[in-house]
Amino acid sequence: MMLPVLLRPCLRCPSSSVLFTRCMRTHTLHSEAEPLLRRRLPLRFQTQTRGRKSRSQEEQWRSRNRTVLTYIAAAGVGMIGLSYAAVPLYRLYCQATGLGGTAVAGHDASLVETMKPVKERVIKVTFNADTHASMQWNFRPQQAEIYLVPGETALAFYRAKNPTDKPIIGISTYNVVPFEAGQYFNKIQCFCFEEQRLNPHEEVDMPVFFYIDPEFAEDPRMARVDTITLSYTFFEAKGEPLPLPGYSYN
Amino acid sequence: MSTAMNFGTKSFQPRAPDKGAFPLDHLGECKAFKEKFMKCLRQSTFDNSKCRLQSKDYLECRMNHQLMAKEPLEKLGFKDLVDPPSSQTQKDTKP
């Protein structure tokens, strides 16, 4: 198809010099051929250009898909990692905000030595004693209340009497109300969580040595708390030791 | 008492005491000190700050009769009662 196009201008000018004509011919050929080529071969050209466009488009789409897929994969891996990290993060959050009555971090034994009593904040601690229905001890506090300040160690007494004719082993647990104040209530020594044996008709004094953390005075949630109630409950021990509390937070 | 199943409701988490449990005073060896402490409490309308000396005496009695692990009184929060009262600065900085 190209040949007759090229031959026509050749036939038109046969007398001119060889080189010039050849040059001219090639020039004119090219210049004349191009529009003709463009006009003559429109379909082929168009399909070629369409093919090139679609190819680049496809490549574009493919690269975009790849980036989107990598982003989604990264998000998925991030979610899985977050779900693993959530456990210690939640524990830290609970400790920081004191939700769920968790122990405040930083409670150590050396605090007793260095803490300063907050004299402005007087707190009344009331004492309550309970026994389980089947427990035959007479268990009661020896003082109904004590006034103290955070940062000061205090001593309180309970009395227990075994009125029966056989020895009874008891074990106790305690509770502090309000619950949020319970995290500031630290017992240095008491009589709970260990078996205590009382012989028949025996009466003993049971001391509780405790203090309230000085940080109690700085907690805004404790600003209205003026009374803390310490309540002990005695159960009869069946021989197995009561497991110490604090399985996940201590 | 506190079932941990319900999230949102605040529950109480009992904690073990720092130094464990007091052995029972079956023989009543420190009963006299305890009576002194209770008397002081009743007289001072149950103000703990006024009866710290008596509570220190009671704990010392317990330590002497092997009813309590021996420990320096500063560790039990009685630093102000143990320090000699001659120095003014030590009196002011009460732990």
Side-chain angles (χ1 to χ4, degrees):
Chain A
M1 237 204 296
M2 296 256 290
L3 248 131
V5 176
L6 289 167
L7 279 172
R8 244 188 271 135
C10 202
L11 291 162
R12 257 191 256 139
C13 44
S15 58
S16 27
S17 68
V18 184
L19 285 163
F20 183 68
T21 48
R22 212 179 279 166
C23 261
M24 282 300 294
R25 233 179 276 154
T26 48
H27 243 311
T28 49
L29 277 171
H30 275 293
S31 55
E32 282 186 16
E34 275 184 75
L36 283 168
L37 279 166
R38 259 186 242 131
R39 258 184 278 142
R40 272 276 170 116
L41 314 159
L43 285 166
R44 208 174 170 191
F45 228 60
Q46 270 179 28
T47 49
Q48 269 188 0
T49 50
R50 208 184 284 141
R52 251 178 251 155
K53 250 194 221 168
S54 61
R55 225 179 292 147
S56 67
Q57 239 185 13
E58 266 179 37
E59 278 173 16
Q60 232 183 3
W61 287 340
R62 221 173 288 147
S63 69
R64 213 185 303 151
N65 282 354
R66 224 173 289 142
T67 49
V68 168
L69 274 171
T70 39
Y71 275 125
I72 290 176
V77 169
M79 289 293 173
I80 294 175
L82 255 180
S83 63
Y84 274 107
V87 172
L89 281 176
Y90 180 70
R91 203 174 294 160
L92 280 173
Y93 169 73
C94 274
Q95 277 183 348
T97 59
L99 276 181
T102 50
V104 172
H107 162 66
D108 55 325
S110 62
L111 177 69
V112 186
E113 242 180 303
T114 52
M115 64 184 180
K116 289 185 170 34
V118 181
K119 296 259 182 226
E120 306 86 40
R121 196 76 192 275
V122 178
I123 299 168
K124 180 166 106 167
V125 179
T126 52
F127 299 95
N128 181 40
D130 280 320
T131 51
H132 188 62
S134 59
M135 175 61 147
Q136 286 163 310
W137 282 7
N138 296 337
F139 180 56
R140 62 187 195 282
Q142 292 191 36
Q143 67 282 308
E145 61 203 13
I146 265 187
Y147 295 90
L148 49 75
V149 295
E152 201 175 63
T153 52
L155 191 62
F157 285 95
Y158 282 80
R159 179 173 293 155
K161 182 178 163 105
N162 180 3
T164 64
D165 289 328
K166 42 185 190 10
I168 294 179
I169 301 174
I171 195 162
S172 67
T173 182
Y174 77 100
N175 195 3
V176 175
V177 181
F179 292 148
E180 300 90 349
Q183 56 182 323
Y184 294 105
F185 190 90
N186 303 315
K187 293 187 322 305
I188 299 174
Q189 210 162 356
C190 71
F191 52 89
C192 43
F193 306 120
E194 268 190 34
E195 289 180 2
Q196 313 286 358
R197 183 198 163 94
L198 274 186
N199 291 319
H201 303 288
E202 191 181 353
E203 189 172 13
V204 284
D205 299 315
M206 291 172 162
V208 182
F209 193 43
F210 63 96
Y211 67 95
I212 294 178
D213 200 318
E215 288 190 4
F216 177 92
E218 285 152 35
D219 193 338
R221 285 172 300 146
M222 301 287 131
R224 295 221 194 99
V225 175
D226 288 319
T227 307
I228 294 179
T229 303
L230 173 66
S231 172
Y232 274 92
T233 308
F234 254 102
F235 300 87
E236 194 166 339
K238 301 293 176 193
E240 292 111 38
L242 195 72
L244 272 180
Y247 49 89
S248 55
Y249 293 108
N250 279 18
Chain B
M1 191 175 268
S2 51
T3 49
M5 285 303 149
N6 32 356
F7 174 73
T9 60
K10 296 188 185 96
S11 64
F12 177 69
Q13 306 279 345
R15 289 201 307 271
D18 290 343
K19 302 207 195 308
F22 275 123
L24 282 187
D25 184 8
H26 290 280
L27 304 170
E29 290 155 334
C30 295
K31 196 159 179 168
F33 291 92
K34 184 218 81 172
E35 288 300 334
K36 269 189 229 154
F37 174 72
M38 294 307 297
K39 195 169 162 193
C40 164
L41 268 189
R42 269 176 237 129
Q43 278 173 349
S44 67
T45 61
F46 298 101
D47 188 355
N48 178 58
S49 344
K50 299 202 175 70
C51 298
R52 298 197 64 230
L53 204 65
Q54 282 79 3
S55 61
K56 175 177 87 86
D57 289 335
Y58 178 79
L59 291 174
E60 269 177 342
C61 163
R62 271 211 162 227
M63 282 193 241
N64 293 336
H65 288 105
Q66 267 95 50
L67 291 169
M68 185 174 162
K70 270 200 187 271
E71 262 195 67
L73 287 170
E74 293 90 7
K75 286 230 172 89
L76 298 170
F78 291 115
K79 198 163 167 198
D80 54 331
L81 298 175
V82 170
D83 277 347
S86 53
S87 55
Q88 193 68 25
T89 46
Q90 274 174 337
K91 247 202 235 173
D92 287 350
T93 58
K94 259 198 197 177

